[in-house]
Amino acid sequence: MLEASQTYKFAVNSPGAPPYLYLDETTNTYVGLINDVIQEASKMYGISVEYVDSHRARNEPLIYAGKIDAFLLSKVWLSHPEKVIASTPLFSHRMFLYKVQPFEENFNLLSIENSKICTRENYVYPSLTNMSASGIIERVDSRSQISIVNMLIAGRCEYAIMNEFNAVNIMTSGDFKNYTFYTSPMPTDETHTEIILRSELSELKKQLDDTIAIMQKDGRLIASLEHHVKNKLTP
């Protein structure tokens, strides 16, 4: 029998986003790919997790202060990656540009010079960092993905940049079903998403890494991703 373990606090950018972690409307609990991994790790190692409603800008200070134990992100986006550890990468995280008119056939990042880009407040976009700092483009920050799309429609910016899953989830929702959006031919950024952990939790990292490796090998990880995409997103 597995011994009872401590309960780890996992911060969620409330109300979450499919397919990673999102609220199930029936049970009012968080489900998704990450929860499937956590549930499998719980079976294997007795891991217990409490999901804590939070915000992207709060997660880093909270984990550095030891007030939460984990959250989902790519280590390359952290202000102080040396202060934490990270699990084995779970999946590829791709960002695309979106607009309300078709993209040119020969479109590339140089095409957005002198443009306004709707972005998420406090998010780091590696492809846009230097362009924004040097004034080649102008960021128009927003606190939510939905307001990013609203600003794009309203003409506050020529382009919006979003994760592919978030974009499809929002842009195919009822609020925007009468609008047509176009996706850039190639992603602007592609990184791997990991579970970020407090540096002291090396044993938990090993347990999660082992769980992820097993689920990758037997196909359950990709099956979970496809399940939550299919259930929550319109292709």
Side-chain angles (χ1 to χ4, degrees):
M1 180 179 293
L2 295 172
E3 295 182 1
S5 64
Q6 74 177 88
T7 297
Y8 299 103
K9 293 184 177 180
F10 196 113
V12 184
N13 296 342
S14 179
Y20 324 117
L21 277 170
Y22 57 96
L23 276 176
D24 179 273
E25 296 177 358
T26 303
T27 62
N28 200 36
T29 58
Y30 281 110
V31 297
L33 171 70
I34 301 305
N35 188 62
D36 290 345
V37 171
I38 296 297
Q39 292 302 312
E40 183 61 24
S42 178
K43 293 176 185 176
M44 294 173 59
Y45 300 108
I47 291 172
S48 177
V49 166
E50 173 191 355
Y51 294 117
V52 179
D53 288 342
S54 184
H55 185 273
R56 166 70 183 90
R58 298 181 62 231
N59 293 344
E60 283 192 63
L62 288 174
I63 203 166
Y64 298 150
K67 295 183 179 180
I68 60 170
D69 300 302
F71 64 94
L72 185 69
L73 197 67
S74 173
K75 218 178 169 185
V76 301
W77 293 342
L78 294 172
S79 301
H80 299 285
E82 73 283 357
K83 293 185 178 182
V84 296
I85 56 179
S87 72
T88 297
L90 286 149
F91 49 84
S92 179
H93 181 103
R94 302 193 302 172
M95 308 293 291
F96 287 85
L97 288 169
Y98 297 88
K99 58 187 298 193
V100 292
Q101 296 89 24
F103 283 79
E104 302 82 0
E105 289 185 9
N106 60 346
F107 176 84
N108 58 55
L109 274 182
L110 296 178
S111 304
I112 69 174
E113 186 175 353
N114 299 319
S115 297
K116 293 181 179 180
I117 318 296
C118 284
T119 52
R120 185 76 179 269
E121 188 178 49
N122 298 313
Y123 270 45
V124 176
Y125 303 96
S127 61
L128 304 184
T129 299
N130 291 337
M131 299 178 76
S132 176
S134 60
I136 295 174
I137 62 169
E138 179 183 345
R139 284 184 60 149
V140 182
D141 283 347
S142 171
R143 292 189 176 183
S144 76
Q145 305 284 6
I146 292 176
S147 59
I148 285 178
V149 179
N150 278 322
M151 288 196 301
L152 179 65
I153 292 171
R156 293 277 307 279
C157 49
E158 288 82 24
Y159 302 90
I161 184 168
M162 298 177 70
N163 166 273
E164 60 183 316
F165 295 127
N166 288 340
V168 176
N169 180 49
I170 293 170
M171 291 176 180
T172 59
S173 67
D175 291 341
F176 303 111
K177 63 181 180 181
N178 294 324
Y179 294 92
T180 300
F181 300 95
Y182 298 88
T183 310
S184 57
M186 294 181 295
T188 60
D189 298 292
E190 186 166 0
T191 60
H192 288 101
T193 301
E194 306 138 323
I195 297 175
I196 306 300
L197 302 161
R198 286 195 295 110
S199 58
E200 300 89 347
L201 301 178
S202 56
E203 181 61 24
L204 176 59
K205 168 181 161 54
K206 182 181 183 304
Q207 293 170 341
L208 291 172
D209 287 350
D210 290 347
T211 303
I212 293 167
I214 290 170
M215 294 180 71
Q216 284 176 332
K217 186 175 181 179
D218 64 20
R220 281 183 293 160
L221 197 67
I222 188 64
S224 171
L225 179 64
E226 292 174 347
H227 168 74
H228 293 290
V229 169
K230 181 178 180 181
N231 277 7
K232 296 296 292 184
L233 308 182
T234 303

